[in-house]
Amino acid sequence: MNANLLVKSEPVGKLAVKPHQRTILLVTDGSPQIQPGINNSIRMALASNSSLAIAYFPGEPHTPTQSHEIMTQIAQKAREAGLLEVKVIENNCPDEDAIDELTKKLEADLVVLAL
């Protein structure tokens, strides 16, 4: 059987095939010792051409305004490092079940806990 009958012939440059976008989920409580986890998450996202989603785990006593500022600062740092796709998750992840649910919803390939 002739292969040309089975496959539409187009130049490769015209194909719009988008590979699966990898996602790294960074979950943090904003505590002082989290910088290495944040830095590693950003480096891994850059190295793997992944997007970075940032979620807050209320382990430290922060107000909603403070937690939002923490997330915004992390997102800014990631963008300044060169990440193009950075998403701040507005809802807190109060427990492991919420983290698991968010991981599935985002189809995250990697979860980093910086707590």
Side-chain angles (χ1 to χ4, degrees):
M1 185 178 269
N2 188 340
N4 288 331
L5 296 175
L6 299 175
V7 179
K8 184 177 178 183
S9 178
E10 289 185 357
V12 174
K14 291 187 177 182
L15 291 177
V17 177
K18 183 179 178 189
H20 168 71
Q21 174 68 47
R22 293 185 179 110
T23 300
I24 295 174
L25 172 59
L26 169 62
V27 180
T28 184
D29 64 359
S31 57
Q33 69 272 13
I34 63 170
Q35 284 307 313
I38 292 169
N39 294 338
N40 287 335
S41 297
I42 293 170
R43 277 196 291 267
M44 286 186 287
L46 285 167
S48 63
N49 197 27
S50 299
S51 63
L52 181 66
I54 307 162
Y56 183 76
F57 182 87
E60 292 287 314
H62 293 118
T63 67
T65 301
Q66 289 171 321
S67 63
H68 182 75
E69 287 175 12
I70 290 167
M71 310 298 274
T72 302
Q73 289 171 357
I74 295 169
Q76 171 125 7
K77 183 175 184 173
R79 288 184 185 104
E80 288 172 357
L83 278 176
L84 300 177
E85 292 194 42
V86 180
K87 181 178 184 179
V88 173
I89 307 301
E90 295 299 327
N91 297 331
N92 289 346
C93 290
D95 56 30
E96 292 84 6
D97 290 336
I99 295 170
D100 187 50
E101 185 178 315
L102 182 59
T103 301
K104 290 175 185 173
K105 181 179 177 184
L106 295 173
E107 297 181 5
D109 299 286
L110 175 68
V111 178
V112 177
L113 301 176
L115 307 170

